[in-house]
Amino acid sequence: MQWTLVAVGKLRPPLRAVCDDYLRRLARFATLDEREVREAGRAASKRLQREMEGKHLLEAVPRTAQIVLLDVDGERWSSEQLAGQLDAWRLDGRDRALIIGGAVGVAPAVRERAGTAWSLGALTLPHELARVVVVEQLYRASTILRGEPYHKGVR
């Protein structure tokens, strides 16, 4: 199973460093191919910007991958529930592409292609920060599945 994270825009250096740290940690458990697509900030309207970015996002998704869209209206999972979801996805063996849209959201075409929508919660996060949170949560879920000490599970 191959994991791909497709996101709009480049991370600024401080967030890039944090993301890279979690990608390095995650590499012990899984390979995550990160792909960035250009922001379409000079589009004539937000709708056109979403459409242009959506086209580039879908072009960057591996042909056979099932899409998991990061979306405020998606399913909300605890870290333990995400670990269970990761395990189920691993067992079905299909490649997965996680998509994080840009500042103006994602195009309807991306939503239509998504098999699953995952919400990080009701908070509005900048798309750059959402990427860091996603990678950290993938790492955390992986440690949960392995019973490793990173995840304390304290309530």
Side-chain angles (χ1 to χ4, degrees):
M1 180 179 155
Q2 176 65 40
W3 287 94
T4 306
L5 176 61
V6 184
V8 173
K10 291 192 176 287
L11 293 177
R12 287 173 282 167
L15 292 174
R16 177 79 267 159
V18 175
C19 191
D20 287 345
D21 180 53
Y22 283 113
L23 287 169
R24 181 186 52 76
R25 294 181 195 198
L26 181 61
R28 291 182 27 233
F29 307 107
T31 302
L32 180 69
D33 178 30
E34 188 179 17
R35 299 179 182 183
E36 297 176 335
V37 301
R38 285 179 29 119
E39 292 182 74
R42 294 186 180 194
S45 68
K46 289 182 180 181
R47 182 190 59 75
L48 187 56
Q49 182 176 350
R50 275 190 296 274
E51 288 177 11
M52 291 171 65
E53 290 173 353
K55 179 180 180 287
H56 296 303
L57 286 165
L58 292 174
E59 287 171 349
V61 170
R63 189 177 52 80
T64 60
Q66 299 292 308
I67 293 175
V68 178
L69 175 63
L70 274 290
D71 185 72
V72 70
D73 294 324
E75 296 183 54
R76 295 179 183 168
W77 298 311
S78 67
S79 296
E80 292 85 357
Q81 290 169 324
L82 177 60
Q85 189 63 58
L86 286 183
D87 200 36
W89 288 335
R90 285 182 183 151
L91 289 174
D92 88 4
R94 291 193 244 168
D95 295 342
R96 291 289 189 286
L98 299 132
I99 291 183
I100 300 174
V104 297
V106 295
V110 176
R111 289 183 192 285
E112 290 167 10
R113 283 271 317 274
T116 304
W118 169 22
S119 174
L120 298 177
L123 297 172
T124 301
L125 297 174
H127 58 284
E128 291 178 301
L129 186 55
R131 189 179 338 175
V132 173
V133 172
V134 166
V135 175
E136 187 279 336
Q137 283 297 300
L138 293 174
Y139 171 66
R140 182 179 297 272
S142 297
T143 65
I144 291 169
L145 289 172
R146 293 274 181 103
E148 292 192 5
Y150 174 77
H151 181 73
K152 306 282 191 269
V154 177
R155 300 227 186 265

